[in-house]
Amino acid sequence: MERTIGTQLGEKATTVGAIIRKWKKFKMTVNHPRSGAPCKISPRGASMITRKVRDQPRTTRQDLVNELKRAGTTVSKKTISNTLRHGLKSCSARKVPLLKPAHVQARLKFANDHLDDPEEEWEKVMWSDETKIELFGLNSTRRVWRKKDEYNPKNHIPTVKHGGENIILWECFSAKGTGRLHRIEGRMDGAMYREILANNLLPSVRALKMGRGRVFLHDNDPKHTARATKEWLRKKHLKVLEWPSQSPVLNPIENLWRELKVRIAQRQPRNLKDLEKVCMEEWAKIPAAMCANLVKNYRKRMISVIANKGCLRDIQNHVISDNTIFSNIHQVGLSTLNRVLQSN
């Protein structure tokens, strides 16, 4: 019978026979799901390596391969990746300022104190900062294992300011657009800083039509907080926003620095003179809408800082979304939650 049916269908008799036997046994002809190759790592081994990378996120795949080999299980790095990809992923460790408990508390205090400030108040702020632009790109990275949107100090690489071929830039911006960009030549002291403010900050304030009630923001570098600098700012009728130390995460100008560095990498400057020229050109091209959007979403940034208990990584190339906020909002506390819900 199998041979007859096979001749009519143009199939081998063995194929027809297998289908008939399958129908008699299972009452179906489709293939059953196959289990595939057995897992080389036992559930206990999978739990062990997952626990390992949670406790020590800088553990490499080769470290885990060696550890399993000592336990009697030989696997490849690809197998390690397949085992860990359910809930964890390998990410580049962020380089962030070294945070002490006092810094974290100051961040939280700033975010809580200004959480309910209206958007119009932030539109009066002139944000400023300095950054290092490297000729040949960013420093090497270190990868860590973490969950999506998990911001924990042990997933970061601590850094200190201004460590090569590079230039140092000062810049300011407001909700109305970017201000002047200035290259810092040599070692900057208090006198040079005040000269930079006179030649770049004041013209930027006028060009962007900041008007009355404007507020200036810079970090707590000793040159910024020197008595002579404070007196200069007072005479120029520039109110200074009190700022928590080691908190670039709170300054939206970091997003613009990131945007500038991406644009520079695409241009591939060949020397420092070319690098400075490219920086000036690309900074002028950053749209005012991007600046306005960063200021508009500033409250969301503070909510995320509170939700992550002050340990949020530096936000460099995105604006925090509503989904991120409300996925973490339970960490903020009932009082803050009520304030957020009432204003949305």
Side-chain angles (χ1 to χ4, degrees), residues 68-85:
L68 286 173
K69 189 174 183 179
R70 287 192 293 269
T73 302
T74 302
V75 296
S76 67
K77 290 190 286 187
K78 178 64 175 176
T79 301
I80 295 292
S81 296
N82 292 339
T83 303
L84 291 175
R85 68 184 178 184

Side-chain angles (χ1 to χ4, degrees), residues 40-185:
K40 297 194 71 175
I41 302 178
S42 66
R44 183 176 180 179
S47 298
M48 183 269 290
I49 65 173
T50 300
R51 185 167 57 252
K52 175 79 172 180
V53 297
R54 285 188 187 279
D55 293 340
Q56 302 176 29
R58 298 183 190 180
T59 303
T60 66
R61 292 184 300 171
Q62 188 60 52
D63 293 337
L64 297 175
V65 167
N66 295 338
E67 190 161 334
L68 286 173
K69 189 174 183 179
R70 287 192 293 269
T73 302
T74 302
V75 296
S76 67
K77 290 190 286 187
K78 178 64 175 176
T79 301
I80 295 292
S81 296
N82 292 339
T83 303
L84 291 175
R85 68 184 178 184
H86 302 294
L88 294 170
K89 65 176 182 177
S90 178
C91 308
S92 296
R94 295 279 179 176
K95 293 185 177 181
V96 300
L98 180 62
L99 285 180
K100 297 179 181 179
H103 298 145
V104 174
Q105 292 304 315
R107 278 188 184 184
L108 288 173
K109 184 178 185 304
F110 178 90
N112 280 296
D113 289 348
H114 294 282
L115 183 63
D116 293 326
D117 289 358
E119 184 180 323
E120 294 75 17
E121 291 299 315
W122 297 114
E123 291 176 352
K124 299 176 182 178
V125 176
M126 179 67 83
W127 314 81
S128 74
D129 197 14
E130 299 92 27
T131 194
K132 178 174 67 175
I133 305 290
E134 296 181 341
L135 180 59
F136 300 112
L138 302 176
N139 293 325
S140 60
T141 59
R142 181 72 182 266
R143 304 190 74 82
V144 296
W145 293 96
R146 65 170 174 82
K147 290 183 178 180
K148 182 180 180 181
D149 294 330
E150 181 186 25
Y151 309 127
N152 191 299
K154 64 184 180 181
N155 297 333
H156 301 157
I157 297 178
T159 64
V160 295
K161 280 197 170 183
H162 305 320
E165 293 284 316
N166 61 75
I167 61 176
I168 305 297
L169 301 176
W170 177 93
E171 202 285 329
C172 62
F173 91 100
S174 77
K176 296 183 178 182
T178 57
R180 289 193 179 185
L181 185 70
H182 175 79
R183 179 181 176 180
I184 300 173
E185 301 277 3

Side-chain angles (χ1 to χ4, degrees), residues 129 131 171 181 253-261:
D129 197 14
T131 194
E171 202 285 329
L181 185 70
I253 202 170
E254 297 292 326
N255 299 68
L256 296 187
W257 287 137
R258 175 64 179 176
E259 175 68 18
L260 178 63
K261 291 174 182 179

